[in-house]
Amino acid sequence: MEAARARGRERWAAAGDLPAPEEKPPGRQLKLKPRIAVIVAVAAFLVLAAVVAVTSGGGSGDAGTDTAQPSHSYVPGLITPPEALPDESSSAPSNSMNPTLASSALGLIPPTTTQPAPPPVDNNRAPSGAKSLTMGPGCGGYTGVGSYRDGRKGWVDHGDGKCGSTFVSIPMSGDPRRDDPSAYAQWTFAVSGTCEVSVHVPNGNLEEVGGNPTVYYVYDRNGVGGTPMASFAIKQVEKRGQWVSAGKFKSSGNLTVQLLTRGQDWNNSGPTYAHHAASAVKADCTA
């Protein structure tokens, strides 16, 4: 029976009345399914990547807002850009360790006030339980690092060599934002407790007393190095012939004040030979 049916189908196919069975390449279905799977996987990956990109893009935008750099261009070695120095009449936040102390070295500069010029220096005069020391050229406790003599360009000595009437003009670095690390002045005091520091600004012209401002670091140690505990700035050109109170600082045994050389000693017409003045510095300390 089956044989007869097969012969019949062959005859009809030969006559063209029965369509021939569709020819399909062997294994085509097996190849098609993996290809579809790959396409679906790639599409899913692209959709997932787009979602992640959108999400992370929004997050990075927020983070960029939170971590934006300050508008000022801070230069290594500079505490506060000169244009950001507060007026002397403004107040500055106090040190977190003690409300009577000057501001920290993170950018705050304490206000300065002027005092009348004192009588001749006498390091033995101090209230009971207190210690008062004056250091500077001719007084002891003063060091000029990197000093050299080159006429009006270099370090220039003034006065008679006695304490209180002698000062040194120190060349500026030429840049109000950068120091010459090889040149500076320092005053060192062997004191403990809370010390009020006062700086004497001598009289002189721009080449002798030209700090505008002159920036100082304060260290709780014997000598400079590491991170200063505080800073202050004095516009010497406005305080000539005066003592200027720089603030109160904590000392655990030694206190060092450093004068930095940053400053512009030129203008559009050429060099002005402006110098910083290093004179006497006084520390009045109480335990």
Side-chain angles (χ1 to χ4, degrees):
M1 178 67 69
E2 290 297 329
R5 290 177 179 175
R7 286 194 296 272
R9 283 197 299 271
E10 290 173 359
R11 285 197 300 270
W12 286 106
D17 295 330
L18 183 66
E22 182 179 357
E23 295 293 335
K24 295 182 180 180
R28 181 176 178 83
Q29 295 295 330
L30 294 178
K31 291 183 180 180
L32 181 60
K33 290 180 180 180
R35 181 173 301 176
I36 294 175
V38 171
I39 293 173
V40 171
V42 171
F45 174 79
L46 293 176
V47 171
L48 179 60
V51 172
V52 171
V54 171
T55 304
S56 61
S60 62
D62 294 340
T65 301
D66 294 340
T67 60
Q69 295 298 315
S71 58
H72 292 299
S73 178
Y74 287 91
V75 178
L78 182 68
I79 286 185
T80 306
E83 67 273 14
L85 292 175
D87 294 334
E88 292 180 349
S89 60
S90 65
S91 59
S94 57
N95 189 292
S96 59
M97 295 177 60
N98 189 320
T100 64
L101 300 185
S103 56
S104 71
L106 298 179
L108 302 176
I109 294 181
T112 55
T113 57
T114 59
Q115 303 172 347
V121 175
D122 184 354
N123 285 332
N124 295 320
R125 297 174 59 184
S128 178
K131 187 174 185 179
S132 180
L133 293 176
T134 301
M135 301 299 180
C139 308
Y142 166 83
T143 304
V145 177
S147 63
Y148 65 94
R149 301 295 182 270
D150 186 15
R152 62 195 299 198
K153 297 180 181 179
W155 294 52
V156 182
D157 297 316
H158 306 278
D160 55 9
K162 297 179 181 179
C163 184
S165 59
T166 301
F167 71 96
V168 180
S169 296
I170 301 175
M172 296 182 180
S173 67
D175 189 332
R177 294 177 176 274
R178 284 188 170 87
D179 302 309
D180 175 0
S182 67
Y184 56 88
Q186 71 175 45
W187 298 258
T188 303
F189 303 83
V191 291
S192 298
T194 300
C195 302
E196 182 174 0
V197 173
S198 301
V199 177
H200 182 253
V201 180
N203 276 312
N205 58 31
L206 188 69
E207 293 188 19
E208 299 168 338
V209 188
N212 190 28
T214 301
V215 178
Y216 302 78
Y217 284 168
V218 182
Y219 296 86
D220 182 18
R221 57 174 294 172
N222 184 0
V224 304
T227 302
M229 68 173 178
S231 68
F232 62 91
I234 298 174
K235 291 185 177 181
Q236 293 187 342
V237 293
E238 298 179 2
K239 305 300 180 184
R240 291 168 177 156
Q242 303 177 46
W243 280 88
V244 180
S245 177
K248 293 183 179 180
F249 308 93
K250 195 76 172 179
S251 173
S252 58
N254 288 283
L255 187 71
T256 297
V257 178
Q258 179 189 24
L259 181 154
L260 307 178
T261 59
R262 68 189 65 168
Q264 182 172 318
D265 55 356
W266 53 271
N267 56 29
N268 293 335
S269 300
T272 61
Y273 302 106
H275 284 57
H276 297 294
S279 183
V281 174
K282 182 171 62 173
D284 295 313
C285 306
T286 57

